Amino acid sequence: MYLRTTKRHNKDGSTVEYYQLAETRWDPTQRRPTAHIIHNFGRADTLDRAALLRLAQSLSRVCQGGLDVPPEVSPPGEAIDLEWARSLGVVHVARALWEELGIGEVLRSWEPRGPRRAPHELALFTRVANRLAEPLSKLACYEHWLAERGYLPEAAALTLDHLYFALDFLDTHIDAIEREIFFRTADLFRADVDLIFWDTTSVDFDLYSAHCRKGLSDHVRQNLPPGYAHLIGGYLGPL
């Protein structure tokens, strides 16, 4: 089924067009396909365009977007030309944790100052986000993930050299950077936790009477079955 256009040439030289809804049927008498007119819309110059648009909109809705129609014809929600789509979730969560743990702030503080300051922190975060989302080499990260799949607009100006230089920067200052990040996150008694349990004595849990014996002597501890006594040191809290 299709929209058929026919023309009629008048004696005065003018041409009039007509729109018809038609379908092709097999004519057994003529033994060939012929156009069968289902509906005449009338002359093109007097056509009710709004009615024709409503028909096209209805057909497009039934076909669930399967028709290639202009935006003014498409039903609401279907007049979208999708150019690209990228994953944001992993990058978004990684950036939040990166800043919450102070990693970004520490790295930025170690970047050389000056007008031509290299974006080492951004390059390193790009590599970390890529390793979390879709582990690739530095070259593949730059040419494919960063350019086509990962959503990191602030890294649009990064070059492949930036990724390599950032690793050199990290290797040069790794000890100081690790130490500073460690002390930012390792202060147990300033952590926002629900419960702190810290004990360096041997603790034995009896599976039958469910009582706890603490501070076992060396003689008793040495004669317990393997794995029966444990040294406990840790804390429980929100992750």
Side-chain angles (χ1 to χ4, degrees), residues 24-106:
T24 301
R25 294 181 181 179
W26 178 259
D27 189 333
T29 303
Q30 301 183 38
R31 300 182 62 83
R32 62 181 178 85
T34 58
H36 177 74
I37 306 302
I38 298 175
H39 178 74
N40 282 297
F41 291 103
R43 291 174 50 155
D45 56 349
T46 60
L47 181 66
D48 185 353
R49 179 174 173 79
L52 195 58
L53 288 175
R54 287 193 298 270
L55 176 60
Q57 185 180 31
S58 177
L59 291 173
S60 179
R61 185 184 299 112
V62 172
C63 295
Q64 298 180 353
L67 296 179
D68 185 14
V69 293
E72 64 270 17
V73 176
S74 302
E78 294 183 12
I80 299 177
D81 185 12
L82 184 62
E83 295 183 357
W84 55 266
R86 302 190 184 188
S87 176
L88 173 63
V90 174
V91 176
H92 180 71
V93 173
R95 173 58 82 180
L97 292 175
W98 185 267
E99 297 301 334
E100 182 178 342
L101 296 175
I103 299 174
E105 183 179 351
V106 171

